[in-house]
């Protein structure tokens, strides 16, 4: 990773009012303490764990706003043109493009970032984005492993280059060269390269490379174990993220993504995966799909299956992001899911790019929802915005610490 100036200098402890001002909050944003009514049950999980002393100390300085879910959705058009030629070459190899034919300059990368993601980050007040290739463009169902391997390498290199050009704002995460019916272990060389050479802090793992037909074994199957072993070795999490749906029953971003989020959680619930990998970490995006809304159902199913409480069975390993595009959704997420399991994210310039006519703000401006919810106090907001990301993405924390942040 490139080096650069830190986002925030180290500062002494602030007063309570200064902390609120730093976080963009007012006293009215904070919910009153109500510990007497808090119950140690999974229906009120946000009260189950108080932040550690270290987290409390760190929350007294100006927080970083770390967005753990960003994709390069604005890449230069040359990338899409090259991909279309690659796809055409599957049927006619004589027209397959060479990797060397893809020419994208640093200036082109700068322009696509400065006028899009970085502009929005500055406008909305976020600092760092964990940046991976465009999810819908992964399209693992197209071609064979060689097609996916070449495509993944190109996309991962572009995200690495963006991170090198903007080292204070973007940190890369990798897509894997998955392909339906192909041993997931074939993805390991790309994973190793991205971590060791590009400084990637996480990966995106597609539980359904078939694109909506679900032909792969569940995430608990031992076929995935070689990937998990490398994740544990490198101490990196996986965002469980599908790609384009080629099943007409499932709209890609409105159905397939959310179905997959829910399915991944249930696959873990019905298994004992985390007994085999007690330090494995999964980030389930889009607020966890249907999981928080149906938390009672999942608790009940776990009970019927004679599994431990979800707090023991899954919540040391599974985390959720805040890519939920309305205030009631974030309110539900932060009420049901323990705060230690929630990481700030927006997936901005993604599936939902418009302005909400009810609020006058962009749907994907999720920082507003996190700031406005009455379910979090200022210390818990620090955990969502920064603390939890640094704990789950340990390599990110190491990089920031090395910069003095």
């Amino acid at each position: 990773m490139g080096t650069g100036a830190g986002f925030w200098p180290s500062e002494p402890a602030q007063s309570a009012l200064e902390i609120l001002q730093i976080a963009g909050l007012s006293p009215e944003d904070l919910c009153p303490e109500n510990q007497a009514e808090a119950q140690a049950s999974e229906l009120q999980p946000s009260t189950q764990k108080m932040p550690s002393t270290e987290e409390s100390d760190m929350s007294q300085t100006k927080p970083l706003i770390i967005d753990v879910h960003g994709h390069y959705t604005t890449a230069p058009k040359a990338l899409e043109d090259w991909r279309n030629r690659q796809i055409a070459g599957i049927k006619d190899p004589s027209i397959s493009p060479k990797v060397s034919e893809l020419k994208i300059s640093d200036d082109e990368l700068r322009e696509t970032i400065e006028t899009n993601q970085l502009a929005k980050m500055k406008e909305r007040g976020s600092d760092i984005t964990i940046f991976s290739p465009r999810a819908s463009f992964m399209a693992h169902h197209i071609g064979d492993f060689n097609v996916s391997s070449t495509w993944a390498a190109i996309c991962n290199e572009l995200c690495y280059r963006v991170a090198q050009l903007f080292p204070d704002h973007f940190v890369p995460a990798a897509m894997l060269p998955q392909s339906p019916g192909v041993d997931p272990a074939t993805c390991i060389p790309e994973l190793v390269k991205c971590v060791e050479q590009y400084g990637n802090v996480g990966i995106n793992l597609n539980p359904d490379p078939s694109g909506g037909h679900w032909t792969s074994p569940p995430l608990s199957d031992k076929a995935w174990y070689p990937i998990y072993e490398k994740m544990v070795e490198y101490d990196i999490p996986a965002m469980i993220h599908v790609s384009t749906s080629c099943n007409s029953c499932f709209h890609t971003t409105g159905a397939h993504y959310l179905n997959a989020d829910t399915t991944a959680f249930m696959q873990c619930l019905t298994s004992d995966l985390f007994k085999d990998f007690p330090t494995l970490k999964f980030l389930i995006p889009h607020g966890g799909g249907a999981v928080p809304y149906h938390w009672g159902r999942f608790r009940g199913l776990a009970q019927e299956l004679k599994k431990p409480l979800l707090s023991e069975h899954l919540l040391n390993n599974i985390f959720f992001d805040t890519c939920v595009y309305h205030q009631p959704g974030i309110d539900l997420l932060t009420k049901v899911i323990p705060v230690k399991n929630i990481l700030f994210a927006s997936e901005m310039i993604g599936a939902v790019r418009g302005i909400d006519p009810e609020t006058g703000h962009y749907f994907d401006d999720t920082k507003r929802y996190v700031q406005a919810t009455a379910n979090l106090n200022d210390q818990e907001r620090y955990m969502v915005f920064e603390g939890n990301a640094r704990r789950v993405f340990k390599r990110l924390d190491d990089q920031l610490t090395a910069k003095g942040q």
Side-chain angles (χ1 to χ4, degrees):
M1 288 291 297
T3 59
F7 299 95
W8 305 108
S10 177
E11 298 180 0
Q14 309 287 327
S15 70
L17 180 57
E18 286 172 328
I19 292 169
L20 293 180
Q21 292 171 339
I22 287 167
L25 306 173
S26 66
E28 289 75 18
D29 290 316
L30 304 182
C31 58
E33 291 187 6
N34 195 15
Q35 296 297 326
E37 295 182 8
Q39 299 178 0
S41 73
E42 296 185 62
L43 292 178
Q44 298 291 337
S46 64
T47 63
Q48 289 178 349
K49 175 183 178 293
M50 292 302 293
S52 66
T53 301
E54 179 182 2
E55 288 168 337
S56 179
D57 290 344
M58 291 181 68
S59 69
Q60 302 307 305
T61 59
K62 185 177 290 188
L64 291 171
I65 307 299
I66 302 173
D67 187 334
V68 301
H69 189 170
H71 299 298
Y72 198 2
T73 56
T74 61
K77 190 174 183 301
L79 179 66
E80 182 179 358
D81 292 342
W82 189 95
R83 174 62 162 170
N84 289 336
R85 292 175 60 202
Q86 185 196 36
I87 293 171
I90 295 171
K91 291 185 177 179
D92 183 0
S94 68
I95 62 173
S96 293
K98 296 179 180 178
V99 174
S100 60
E101 294 174 20
L102 177 60
K103 307 289 187 182
I104 298 177
S105 69
D106 285 354
D107 285 343
E108 290 176 284
L109 295 180
R110 286 191 189 94
E111 192 211 354
T112 62
I113 294 297
E114 288 176 344
T115 59
N116 291 291
Q117 281 88 354
L118 188 56
K120 292 296 183 186
M121 289 169 66
K122 291 179 177 179
E123 176 186 314
R124 300 176 185 183
S126 64
D127 301 303
I128 304 171
T129 296
I130 297 179
F131 206 52
S132 62
R134 184 174 180 176
S136 62
F137 267 30
M138 294 191 298
H140 294 119
H141 62 281
I142 295 176
D144 57 14
F145 173 76
N146 289 329
V147 170
S148 284
S149 180
T150 302
W151 180 234
I154 287 172
C155 293
N156 287 331
E157 183 184 23
L158 286 179
C159 289
Y160 166 67
R161 288 175 61 192
V162 168
Q164 290 293 293
L165 292 170
F166 302 96
D168 289 341
H169 298 292
F170 295 93
V171 180
M175 67 175 277
L176 298 181
Q178 297 175 247
S179 189
V182 177
D183 186 347
T186 57
C187 298
I188 290 177
E190 182 69 17
L191 185 159
V192 170
K193 179 190 73 177
C194 287
V195 172
E196 296 189 356
Q197 297 180 29
Y198 293 170
N200 285 36
V201 298
I203 60 172
N204 291 346
L205 184 65
N206 186 349
D208 174 35
S210 71
H213 295 286
W214 291 92
T215 59
S216 294
L219 291 170
S220 55
D221 192 89
K222 292 186 185 301
W224 299 97
Y225 278 26
I227 299 290
Y228 301 159
E229 288 165 0
K230 276 296 177 185
M231 289 172 57
V232 169
E233 176 186 342
Y234 286 129
D235 198 1
I236 57 172
M239 178 180 286
I240 307 302
H241 206 309
V242 289
S243 186
T244 297
S245 170
C246 57
N247 182 334
S248 61
C249 293
F250 304 125
H251 182 277
T252 294
T253 56
H256 186 43
Y257 281 16
L258 306 182
N259 293 346
D261 302 337
T262 308
T263 298
F265 184 85
M266 193 63 193
Q267 287 178 354
C268 294
L269 187 154
T270 57
S271 74
D272 292 313
L273 173 63
F274 300 123
K275 287 185 177 179
D276 288 344
F277 295 96
T279 61
L280 188 67
K281 291 175 286 190
F282 286 164
L283 176 61
I284 299 184
H286 318 115
V291 173
Y293 191 75
H294 286 289
W295 194 245
R297 174 181 289 261
F298 291 110
R299 292 174 58 241
L301 288 170
Q303 181 174 288
E304 294 295 325
L305 293 168
K306 310 301 183 186
K307 299 295 184 182
L309 295 175
L310 294 184
S311 57
E312 304 170 22
H313 186 45
L314 299 180
L315 294 186
N316 291 317
N317 307 89
I318 289 180
F319 304 86
F320 304 84
D321 76 13
T322 63
C323 291
V324 179
Y325 296 150
H326 65 150
Q327 189 67 54
I330 290 293
D331 291 344
L332 174 70
L333 176 69
T334 53
K335 183 174 183 180
V336 172
I337 300 300
V339 68
K340 73 182 182 70
N341 293 84
I342 303 173
L343 282 65
F344 174 70
S346 69
E347 200 177 18
M348 67 155 164
I349 315 186
V352 183
R353 305 185 183 191
I355 293 176
D356 185 344
E358 295 182 3
T359 66
H361 300 293
Y362 284 95
F363 281 102
D364 62 6
D365 188 357
T366 55
K367 182 184 173 188
R368 290 180 177 275
Y369 311 139
V370 175
Q371 288 178 321
T373 185
N375 296 328
L376 301 175
N377 59 38
D378 59 331
Q379 191 164 270
E380 291 168 331
R381 283 189 180 86
Y382 157 77
M383 293 172 66
V384 172
F385 282 136
E386 178 182 355
N388 293 340
R390 296 182 74 134
R391 180 166 52 87
V392 174
F393 289 86
K394 182 61 169 60
R395 285 179 173 262
L396 171 65
D397 181 57
D398 290 345
Q399 291 178 19
L400 294 175
T401 300
K403 293 181 178 183
Q405 296 176 260

